[in-house]
Amino acid sequence: MDPEKVAAAQQGDALALDRLLDELAPYVRRLCARIVPAAADDATQEALLAVFQGLPSLRAPEAIMTWARSVAVRTAIRYARRQEGEFAAEEPVLDRRVSCLEGLVDIDDALARLPVPQRVVLVLRAREGLSEQEIAAALGIPAGTVKSRLHRARAAFRKGWDS
């Protein structure tokens, strides 16, 4: 992402801001969809609004992607926690997609069944390719916590995948 475009958007250039948000939207949407599939559109919209509102306070325009990722992840986590609270009393629904191999579970379905903290670290590590240190920075938690959550997430994912 071009830091000059970010700086122009920060200074009120409406065209630069429009282009910046257009470039960020697919990335933010992908993150939100992986963390909170049922409310991805709402989380995406809220995250992009937060990016728009917070853009003037961004000190380093070259860090726009890292900052936008943090905003999107935090927003998606809030939506996922709200959703968990709404559906806590219900039994989890197993949406199994059957192909020519009987019992094949969709990866997104297996991810969606993980608790939010585990889902988030697994998505950021396995799907976004972030290091444990980058995940810790994005979530504002210690690297050791990321490691333990990853370990539990991988074990739970395998169990859900095999079931």
Side-chain angles (χ1 to χ4, degrees), residues 4-5 8 12 21 33 37 41 49 54 62 66 72 94 96-97 106 110-111 115-116 121 126 132 157:
E4 291 177 13
K5 184 188 313 178
L21 291 175
D41 291 336
L49 180 62
E62 62 277 358
T66 302
L94 300 180
R96 294 185 179 258
R97 306 217 172 123
D106 184 78
L111 272 174
V116 174
V121 295
E132 291 168 358
F157 182 85

Side-chain angles (χ1 to χ4, degrees), residues 24-35 44 123 127-128:
L24 287 173
Y27 179 65
V28 169
R29 172 74 168 90
R30 186 177 75 232
L31 281 171
C32 290
R34 289 178 175 165
I35 295 170
T44 300
V123 163
R127 289 208 155 168
E128 295 302 317

